[in-house]
Amino acid sequence: MLRRFDHSAIYLLIAGTYTPFITQMKANAESLALLLGIWLTSFVGILLKLRFPGRFDRLSILLYMFLGWSGVMTYESFFGALPGSTLWLLAIGGSLYTVGVVFHLWDDLRFQNAVWHGFVLVAAACHYGAVLDCMVLAQA
């Protein structure tokens, strides 16, 4: 049961990370659609993880990746609203998550789970730094 909640929380992490950045965009249909789309997709992912654990693992990875990179679909509005340093931290963090998926799927690699979680830790730190950079440092 704890594993279900752990895997479900990844969707909350992605949606929760996007939310402060979307609030920096000009309020329009595009920003509202992105915010609603990310949270609705996250809730679908959470329901899949809680209701059908282990049955849609490959789909979940694709859903994680889609959610993580969904801001690129609205890149003009999204990137125009954020400082360059924030964008770099987001890009580095997203790239680390993406490369880390290779290690997550590489079952034969010794210590693959530890390597994968190393990527997750550094990527999450980059995204945390991006939130601080955008919401705190840029406002000072």
Side-chain angles (χ1 to χ4, degrees), residues 8-61:
S8 296
I10 297 168
Y11 291 106
L12 292 176
L13 176 67
I14 296 168
T17 301
Y18 258 110
T19 300
F21 300 120
I22 295 171
T23 64
Q24 299 302 302
M25 294 171 63
K26 187 180 354 172
N28 58 24
E30 188 177 43
S31 62
L32 182 60
L34 182 61
L35 185 64
L36 286 173
I38 287 172
W39 278 101
L40 288 174
T41 305
S42 294
F43 284 126
V44 168
I46 289 168
L47 290 174
L48 283 175
K49 282 295 187 180
L50 292 176
R51 182 75 174 108
F52 305 106
R55 290 179 73 189
F56 299 105
D57 286 344
R58 301 286 181 191
L59 175 64
S60 292
I61 292 170

Side-chain angles (χ1 to χ4, degrees), residues 1-9 50:
M1 184 56 86
L2 291 177
R3 180 174 287 177
R4 289 182 190 185
F5 285 119
D6 176 50
H7 290 184
S8 296
L50 292 176

Side-chain angles (χ1 to χ4, degrees), residues 101-117:
V101 168
V102 173
F103 294 94
H104 176 68
L105 297 173
W106 193 349
D107 292 330
D108 295 337
L109 179 67
R110 190 171 184 195
F111 304 116
Q112 66 74 242
N113 201 38
V115 172
W116 153 245
H117 280 95

Side-chain angles (χ1 to χ4, degrees), residues 13 65 92-102 116 119-120 123-124 127:
L13 176 67
M65 300 305 295
I92 292 167
S95 298
L96 288 168
Y97 276 125
T98 301
V99 171
V101 168
V102 173
W116 153 245
F119 274 92
V120 167
H127 284 175

